[in-house]
Amino acid sequence: MVGGSNPSGRAIFTQVVFVRLTYLVKLNFLLLAFLGVIFLMSKLRSNGMGEGIAAFFGGPAPGKIVRVAPGSVTTTLDWCDTRISAIEREGAPTLRQVKLKWLWETTPPQELNFIAVEKWFGRNCKVKVERLAPDRFDEASQKPAMLVHFIKGPAETLFRVGEDLFKWRQEIFRSSELKEALVDLENLPDHGTRTTR
């Protein structure tokens, strides 16, 4: 009788050890995933989207400012070379990031679909522009299209004359892509809306 009960005791002990090891392995994976999410959130907050994250969200990788060579006609302009914290527009609600949420600053604030906003930046931070001579831009009739606040450094204003003539920093250019981006900005989905774009 004693000899017959020993194998079942060992089997129960082995099962208990196996179950405890399984839980320990699962707990380690959950802890690693949690730490990975915290690391990713801190990188997004401080440096913006890296190449891998931008590719995951379907946008082009962010980069440094593309300086336009003198005499060139068409080039790419990176107007959000540093992570953006807010965009103000005259007669429209301010788009602001608060912690890990993008909000329209209305009363009450309206939360937007985070992925849709990040994809908007991914698609529109770098736009094709046709560089123009400074005398083509009538500063007397310019209007601010948006005031862009960065997480580091001073805010910058994108000026506009007419439909698709812009001034960003010292660059004067025409850009149908930037014009479309400003229209798309008005139509960002709220937090409950799924997005495929």
Side-chain angles (χ1 to χ4, degrees):
M1 295 286 278
V2 175
S5 65
N6 251 346
S8 65
R10 283 188 191 137
I12 291 172
F13 176 74
T14 304
Q15 284 179 337
V16 168
V17 169
F18 179 74
V19 167
R20 286 186 179 169
L21 283 175
T22 304
Y23 283 125
L24 188 59
V25 168
K26 287 180 183 178
L27 182 64
N28 282 335
F29 277 115
L30 286 173
L31 185 60
L32 283 173
F34 178 71
L35 291 174
V37 167
I38 289 175
F39 175 76
L40 180 63
M41 287 170 29
S42 69
K43 291 293 276 182
L44 273 173
R45 217 179 267 162
S46 61
N47 299 333
M49 289 199 299
E51 281 186 39
I53 298 168
F56 175 76
F57 284 124
K64 303 290 180 194
I65 295 176
V66 177
R67 293 288 177 202
V68 182
S72 65
V73 176
T74 304
T75 188
T76 302
L77 179 76
D78 186 352
W79 61 273
C80 45
D81 52 317
T82 303
R83 177 109 181 136
I84 290 172
S85 61
I87 293 178
E88 292 181 45
R89 295 161 302 136
E90 193 174 318
T94 297
L95 174 67
R96 186 175 306 280
Q97 185 172 21
V98 179
K99 296 186 180 176
L100 290 178
K101 294 180 180 178
W102 282 104
L103 305 173
W104 286 129
E105 288 191 337
T106 55
T107 307
Q110 180 186 2
E111 184 180 346
L112 297 172
N113 184 303
F114 179 83
I115 293 175
V117 177
E118 292 295 325
K119 281 186 172 185
W120 182 86
F121 281 115
R123 280 192 313 272
N124 299 305
C125 272
K126 288 185 180 180
V127 290
K128 287 183 181 169
V129 300
E130 178 189 350
R131 187 179 185 200
L132 301 171
D135 60 359
R136 298 281 302 273
F137 192 80
D138 180 16
E139 292 200 3
S141 59
Q142 74 181 5
K143 293 183 179 177
M146 61 182 176
L147 178 64
V148 182
H149 296 268
F150 300 98
I151 58 168
K152 294 177 186 173
E156 300 272 359
T157 303
L158 173 72
F159 292 101
R160 186 177 196 168
V161 172
E163 285 297 305
D164 61 351
L165 193 60
F166 298 97
K167 178 181 178 184
W168 176 251
R169 295 175 178 152
Q170 299 306 313
E171 299 290 341
I172 309 296
F173 57 91
R174 179 173 281 118
S175 176
S176 57
E177 286 188 2
L178 187 54
K179 177 184 169 185
E180 287 177 28
L182 293 174
V183 172
D184 287 347
L185 181 62
E186 300 288 335
N187 302 313
L188 288 172
D190 66 36
H191 74 286
T193 309
R194 297 182 136 230
T195 179
T196 55
R197 257 186 98 187

